[in-house]
């Protein structure tokens, strides 16, 4: 599968990736599905969904709306099936999830921008727009 | 190898998935009282007409064929013969196993209130069958009392509101969701429910119900003497695990339910357990993870349950989002309480010697997942030089070779 590699040393905290994420999903929501935060030493840290091998958000989802795709390895979210119970927000260990800020119903979950390709492969707009190549799409192996 | 799984809910379904993932060829038999796979956590949306039966299903539509299993639906296990390695079903049929997973969950507990056991117009809020009874009650009953204002009781009250039915809540504790919320966060819900016409009684219980000749409730008498007209009672005051069929088998049970270790193994080497049947942490994510862990060990891949943090919940009644973690009402000299209020949100974090022990967030839950980790892992947050409400993963940032994040064990 593919994951977005994060090189913190290259990140300058410009938030271009956050804007890119909003733009990529602008027909659905006004929020980003990623974030860049600043640690106690004021160093920026891009916090992006890891599409975990053992995804806590999936284990906790009581409706089946959050699922790990066995083929691609991506953790997919189905807003029609979602009950807006917010259990996944509580369960993501890295504090990546939130609900949309207007209606409070849809979970802002990274989809690897698969909607941008015909064949459902990843095409992250955040990676494409990062001026520093601090985030890159890499193939990784899951056990 | 032949696996038998009892129960087709959170623990059983995820157990089946894991068994098949690790063992492509073995026979898997699923046996359940339920005739369909559905999520109990969203039953209120079914009651309220917001979700169809089809959309209650949390598993794949073609679950049986996808995982290549035999599923005996609507079949209750009534006895177990560990020596013969057989389960006995209610119709007398027996099914043999090499490894058995018990994921039979729990049932509604009817408290010892005078006349309640004999009454006809009483139901719990746990199974799809209960919802059919309640849909009918919604059409006829004028005075529905919900006994208990916990998560399930409020699910029930919300479902009825969707149908335009205003129930009455009776709760022993001083406020609703007393285990999950502090008084202030609870009041937001109490006011919202009151605004929608839901009458609420706190600090009192139902002492007895009055029955007519046909054993139908006509009135409820509260512990303070108040008499309320009542023609239907929904009991949401706790559950008991489904272990009746294990009596006399010698398999170890506790006061709460089935006993198993961190691998899911019971006192019998061929029998595993997972989920609400333990009677200890009756929440969805625990049932799922225990199902996976037990199945993994049954299939010979050792794995342990490490996540023991189960006092956590989220809620979204009447459009008010809240998250509750740990103990939110702790008091004591060394407990520090920090509160942050804005126009739309209320946040409270309790910490002790640098470690967060409880938190309640209301109105704004964004990125709150980190707090659960900090509490569960007992991470000292004093090294984070930011306001406690702004703590995020940046100060714990670690990446594996495959770019997954992790927490450094403290
Ligand atoms: C209304 C409601 C709302 C909830 N909301 C939340 C929530 O918001 N968050 C949360 O984390 N948790 C919630 N829960 C709790 C959650 O639903 C349970 O923790 C979870 O369902 C437990 O799963 P389980 O597989 O252990 O057992 P159960 O879901 O109880 O399923 C037991 C299974 O075993 C079968 N069975 C039982 N006895 C037998 C027998 N003798 N023979 C054969 N089969 C049998 C049943 O048919 C069923 O398939 C809620 C529960 C309810 C009732
Ligand atoms: S891959 Fe797409 S959805 Fe995910 S963070 Fe990047 S832009 Fe957002
Ligand atoms: S939301 Fe969190 S838990 Fe879920 S896959 Fe992404 S990083 Fe993992
Ligand atoms: S909010 Fe939606 S996706 Fe998240 S756990 Fe609840 S039902 Fe699943």
């Amino acid at each position: 599968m593919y994951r977005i590699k994060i090189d913190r040393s290259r990140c300058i905290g410009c938030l271009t990736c956050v804007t890119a994420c909003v733009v990529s999903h602008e027909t659905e929501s006004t929020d980003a599905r990623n974030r860049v935060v600043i640690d106690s030493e004021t160093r920026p840290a891009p916090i992006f969904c890891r599409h975990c091998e053992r995804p806590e958000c999936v284990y906790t989802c009581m409706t089946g709306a959050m699922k790990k795709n066995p083929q691609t390895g991506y953790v997919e979210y189905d807003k029609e099936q979602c009950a807006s119970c917010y259990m996944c927000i509580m369960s993501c260990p890295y504090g990546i999830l939130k609900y949309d800020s207007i209606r409070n119903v849809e979970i802002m979950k990274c989809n690897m921008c698969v909607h941008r390709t015909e064949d459902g492969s990843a095409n992250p707009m955040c990676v494409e727009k990062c001026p520093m190549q601090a985030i890159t799409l890499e193939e990784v192996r899951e056990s | 190898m032949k696996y038998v799984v009892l129960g087709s809910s959170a623990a059983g379904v995820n157990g089946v998935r894991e068994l098949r993932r690790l063992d492509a060829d073995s026979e898997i038999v699923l046996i359940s009282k339920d005739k369909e796979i559905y999520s109990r956590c969203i039953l209120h949306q079914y009651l309220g007409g917001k979700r169809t039966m089809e959309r209650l299903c949390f598993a794949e539509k073609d679950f049986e064929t996808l995982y290549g299993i035999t599923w005996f639906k609507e079949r209750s296990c009534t006895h177990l013969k560990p020596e013969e390695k057989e389960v006995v079903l209610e119709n007398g049929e027996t099914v043999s196993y090499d490894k058995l997973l018990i994921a039979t969950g729990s049932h509604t507990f009817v408290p010892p209130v005078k006349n309640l056991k004999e009454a006809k117009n009483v139901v719990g809020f746990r199974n799809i069958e209960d919802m059919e009874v309640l849909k009918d009650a919604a059409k006829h009953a004028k005075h529905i009392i919900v006994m208990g204002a916990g998560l399930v009781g409020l699910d029930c009250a919300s479902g009825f509101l969707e149908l335009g039915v205003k129930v009455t809540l009776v709760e022993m504790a001083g406020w609703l969701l007393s285990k999950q919320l502090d008084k202030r966060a609870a009041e937001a819900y109490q006011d919202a429910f009151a605004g929608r016409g839901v009458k609420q009684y706190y600090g009192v219980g139902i002492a007895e119900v009055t029955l007519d000749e046909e054993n139908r409730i006509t009135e409820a008498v509260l512990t303070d003497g108040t008499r309320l007209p009542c023609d239907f009672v929904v009991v949401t005051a706790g559950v008991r695990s489904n272990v009746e069929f294990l009596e006399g088998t010698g398999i170890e049970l506790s006061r709460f339910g089935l006993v198993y270790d961190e691998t899911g193994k019971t006192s019998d080497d061929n029998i595993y357990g997972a989920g609400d049947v333990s009677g200890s942490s009756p929440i969805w994510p625990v049932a799922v993870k225990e199902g996976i862990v037990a199945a993994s060990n049954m299939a010979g891949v050792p794995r342990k349950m490490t996540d023991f943090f189960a006092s956590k919940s989220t809620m979204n009644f009447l459009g008010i989002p809240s998250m509750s973690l740990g103990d939110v009402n702790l008091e004591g000299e060394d407990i520090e309480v920090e509160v942050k209020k804005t126009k739309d949100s209320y946040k409270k974090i309790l910490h002790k010697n640098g470690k967060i022990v409880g938190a309640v967030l209301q109105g704004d839950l964004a990125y709150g997942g980190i707090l659960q980790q900090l509490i569960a892992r007992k991470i000292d947050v004093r090294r984070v030089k930011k306001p406690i409400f702004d703590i995020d993963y940046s100060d714990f940032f670690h990446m594996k070779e495959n770019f997954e994040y992790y927490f450094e064990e403290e």
Side-chain angles (χ1 to χ4, degrees), chain B residues 115-122 209-218:
Chain B
N115 294 336
L116 197 60
K117 282 235 158 58
E118 295 75 37
K120 278 187 187 150
N121 41 348
V122 180
V209 291
T210 313
L211 304 179
D212 66 12
E213 317 72 66
E214 285 162 18
N215 278 349
R216 300 189 67 84
I217 301 168
T218 55

Side-chain angles (χ1 to χ4, degrees), chain A residues 90-105:
Chain A
M90 174 175 71
S91 296
C92 171
Y94 318 111
I96 280 162
L97 299 177
K98 64 167 186 168
Y99 44 73
D100 74 277
S101 50
I102 294 174
R103 292 170 56 233
N104 296 6
V105 295

Side-chain angles (χ1 to χ4, degrees), chain B residues 347-366:
Chain B
K347 298 184 180 184
K348 176 166 112 174
I349 295 181
L350 301 92
H351 54 101
K352 181 180 174 178
N353 304 328
K355 291 174 185 172
I356 300 176
V357 291
V360 51
L361 309 182
Q362 190 168 67
D364 173 20
L365 313 186

Side-chain angles (χ1 to χ4, degrees), chain A residues 62 87, chain B residues 6-12 31-34 40-41 75-77 103-106 125-126 152 155 242 245 274-277 282-285 287 314:
Chain A
M62 50 169 77
M87 289 283 284
Chain B
L6 299 179
S8 62
S9 183
I31 301 170
S32 68
K33 224 185 235 183
D34 283 341
R40 286 167 164 77
C41 311
R75 245 44 93 88
S76 193
C77 172
T104 49
S106 53
F125 200 89
R126 179 143 196 115
V152 176
D155 268 359
N242 292 326
F245 66 98
D276 278 16
V277 72
I283 60 169
W284 187 270
T314 55

Side-chain angles (χ1 to χ4, degrees), chain A residues 49-52 55-57 75 92-94 96-97 109:
Chain A
C49 172
R50 299 291 81 198
H51 297 269
C52 300
E56 290 290 336
C57 59
V75 172
C92 171
Y94 318 111
I96 280 162
L97 299 177
K109 170 75 180 65

Side-chain angles (χ1 to χ4, degrees), chain B residues 67-280:
Chain B
Y67 294 94
I69 61 164
T70 311
W71 181 7
F72 296 140
K73 302 174 192 184
E74 284 188 283
R75 245 44 93 88
S76 193
C77 172
T78 48
H79 190 57
L80 185 71
K81 297 182 186 161
E83 251 88 272
E84 285 96 328
K85 293 212 221 169
E86 273 176 359
V87 294
V88 184
L89 308 187
E90 61 192 332
N91 58 0
E93 252 179 291
T94 58
V95 180
S96 67
Y97 62 84
D98 294 312
K99 298 266 180 210
L100 176 69
L101 177 60
I102 299 175
T104 49
S106 53
H107 61 267
T108 302
F109 169 66
V110 180
V113 166
K114 194 174 165 199
N115 294 336
L116 197 60
K117 282 235 158 58
E118 295 75 37
K120 278 187 187 150
N121 41 348
V122 180
V123 75
F125 200 89
R126 179 143 196 115
N127 301 318
I128 192 75
E129 293 79 12
D130 300 335
M131 297 309 120
E132 303 306 342
V133 174
L134 290 173
K135 278 190 173 195
D136 188 56
K139 289 184 204 135
H140 311 293
K142 296 274 171 298
H143 304 285
I144 301 177
I145 293 184
V146 177
M147 196 173 172
L151 289 165
V152 176
L154 297 184
D155 268 359
C156 175
S158 321
F160 272 121
L161 274 179
E162 293 289 338
L163 299 174
V165 176
K166 301 166 173 71
V167 301
T168 297
L169 291 166
V170 177
E171 166 63 51
M172 284 287 246
W175 55 84
L176 55 69
L177 297 173
S178 60
K179 288 198 201 92
Q180 289 84 10
L181 301 180
D182 62 5
K183 199 155 186 284
R184 141 113 212 203
E187 272 166 5
Y189 290 115
Q190 288 173 195
D191 294 349
F193 275 110
R196 299 282 299 272
V198 173
K199 286 207 192 69
Q200 301 155 68
Y201 294 85
Y202 295 103
V204 286
I206 299 180
E208 73 169 277
V209 291
T210 313
L211 304 179
D212 66 12
E213 317 72 66
E214 285 162 18
N215 278 349
R216 300 189 67 84
I217 301 168
T218 55
E219 193 183 47
V221 185
L222 306 189
T223 46
D224 65 354
T226 308
R227 306 181 89 89
L228 298 176
C230 173
D231 53 8
F232 209 93
V233 169
V234 191
V235 185
T236 63
V239 294
R240 291 294 179 271
S241 32
N242 292 326
V243 290
E244 297 85 352
F245 66 98
L246 294 173
E247 249 141 63
T249 58
I251 293 165
E252 191 185 346
L253 301 175
S254 74
R255 200 154 62 80
F256 306 104
L258 182 61
V259 175
Y260 44 87
D261 64 17
E262 72 268 26
T263 68
K265 195 158 71 66
T266 66
S267 58
D268 182 312
D269 284 349
N270 302 309
I271 303 177
Y272 287 73
D276 278 16
V277 72
S278 74
S280 54

Side-chain angles (χ1 to χ4, degrees), chain A residues 99 104, chain B residues 182 184-186 188-189 319-323 338-349 360-366 389-390:
Chain A
Y99 44 73
N104 296 6
Chain B
D182 62 5
R184 141 113 212 203
Y189 290 115
I320 305 171
S322 300
M323 182 186 298
E338 296 190 43
V339 173
K340 184 179 172 185
K341 291 179 210 172
T342 68
K343 188 165 66 66
D344 309 305
S345 73
Y346 167 67
K347 298 184 180 184
K348 176 166 112 174
I349 295 181
V360 51
L361 309 182
Q362 190 168 67
D364 173 20
L365 313 186
F389 297 101
D390 299 338

